[in-house]
Amino acid sequence: QVQLVESGGGLVQAGDSLRLSCAASGIFSTYAMGWFRQVPGKEREFVSAISWSGSATYYQDSVRGRFTISRDNAKNTVYLQMNSLKPEDTAVYYCAVDGRISRLQVGVPNYWGMGTQVTVSS
């Protein structure tokens, strides 16, 4: 069974940093991994993705330069380091994995985590 367990969310002030973690089990280390976010009433949106080797990374324009995605394949864990957080970053953040990074990029991964809340106050 595939399980994704997210952690690291919380309440912070604008300009602060958070690091999200997603520990995966039941997947190949060659799976691509990524992050999405969603606010009430809006569609879930792509945030970032990383290839299985870590050699290729992708970011939504609004987070590029502030967020950094990385992975530790020995731990089957993907991270999202979020710096210079803004109130508009407030959302539930979801971890996702798939054997094809293209499916992550278009928002149809095979597996989703349950999400972790990130709230950024002004």
Side-chain angles (χ1 to χ4, degrees):
Q1 294 181 342
V2 174
Q3 289 187 315
L4 305 177
V5 181
E6 297 124 320
S7 62
L11 173 63
V12 298
Q13 295 182 348
D16 284 352
S17 298
L18 281 173
R19 189 182 73 163
L20 305 184
S21 299
C22 174
S25 61
I27 67 167
F28 294 109
S29 62
T30 53
Y31 273 36
M33 307 183 78
W35 294 92
F36 292 76
R37 65 187 182 186
Q38 188 171 27
V39 299
K42 298 190 67 176
E43 192 173 47
R44 191 172 298 185
E45 68 174 355
F46 172 80
V47 176
S48 185
I50 187 168
S51 64
W52 72 269
S53 67
S55 62
T57 58
Y58 305 88
Y59 297 95
Q60 181 200 106
D61 288 344
S62 67
V63 308
R64 188 174 291 111
R66 298 188 297 120
F67 292 8
T68 302
I69 191 170
S70 62
R71 65 189 296 165
D72 184 343
N73 287 348
K75 299 179 179 180
N76 264 354
T77 299
V78 63
Y79 305 95
L80 186 68
Q81 178 67 46
M82 304 184 294
N83 297 329
S84 301
L85 283 163
K86 304 175 181 180
E88 52 263 43
D89 294 318
T90 296
V92 176
Y93 283 71
Y94 296 90
C95 176
V97 301
D98 199 282
R100 297 180 182 271
I101 195 167
S102 61
R103 289 177 57 83
L104 278 172
Q105 292 175 299
V106 299
V108 290
N110 281 329
Y111 305 104
W112 296 96
M114 296 302 296
T116 184
Q117 178 71 47
V118 172
T119 302
V120 184
S121 64
S122 300

